[in-house]
Amino acid sequence: MNTRRTHPAGGVDDALRHPRTQQALRGTTVLVGCYAGVSALTLLAVILLRHHPDMVTDAVWVRAVIVVATSLLMASFAARTARGHRRSYLRLRLASALMLVAIAVIIALPGGFPTWLKLEQGVCGALLLGVVMLVNGRRMRAAFASR
């Protein structure tokens, strides 16, 4: 099913082609790509540090795998959003907001995760805050508003 909004003549909606919308889409894609990269590097660190139980607990393993999986899903959503797919845009809005809340909870709760992972999650949270701000901005919402 094609969820791209088109004009009756068949062209992509002008709002998606606007330079500021294109800039927001590029920024979103870059931030999500950085989030995926940081997440993958964290999983690599977890693998390399697996013999240090004080640094890599079972909770760290679970969190690292979940974050990599969601970051790859969000990268897919961002790529499809950049091509004008409204449902992917909605999924990206939801996933980025939910992950940002989850990161805030992980950082705020005492114990549970080592300091190094909380710092890494802080970096991921900063990247996702940028995504949340871009995808919820007036320009992007207008570009993907249903008519």
Side-chain angles (χ1 to χ4, degrees):
M1 172 182 213
N2 184 2
T3 56
R4 181 181 294 185
R5 290 187 19 221
T6 59
H7 288 294
V12 176
D13 191 5
D14 288 338
L16 288 173
R17 287 187 280 175
H18 191 280
R20 287 193 202 136
T21 305
Q22 287 297 306
Q23 182 180 12
L25 289 167
R26 278 190 302 277
T28 299
T29 302
V30 167
L31 288 171
V32 171
C34 290
Y35 171 59
V38 169
S39 300
L41 289 173
T42 300
L43 182 57
L44 178 62
V46 167
I47 292 167
L48 294 174
L49 296 170
R50 68 187 176 275
H51 298 297
H52 299 276
D54 56 323
M55 296 180 75
V56 178
T57 63
D58 289 342
V60 169
W61 273 104
V62 170
R63 180 68 188 160
V65 170
I66 289 171
V67 171
V68 167
T70 59
S71 72
L72 294 176
L73 273 174
M74 287 201 318
S76 169
F77 299 157
R80 290 180 55 87
T81 297
R83 292 192 303 266
H85 294 268
R86 186 172 187 276
R87 285 193 176 153
S88 291
Y89 166 70
L90 296 173
R91 289 176 183 137
L92 181 60
R93 283 182 71 187
L94 180 63
S96 60
L98 289 175
M99 286 305 295
L100 185 59
V101 169
I103 287 170
V105 169
I106 284 171
I107 292 172
L109 289 178
F113 293 97
T115 302
W116 74 268
L117 186 78
K118 288 187 177 194
L119 290 171
E120 178 272 345
Q121 287 291 278
V123 170
C124 287
L127 293 167
L128 287 180
L129 179 60
V131 172
V132 167
M133 291 173 64
L134 286 171
V135 299
N136 289 293
R138 184 174 35 122
R139 175 73 55 191
M140 291 274 280
R141 283 181 297 141
F144 286 96
S146 57
R147 294 183 191 206

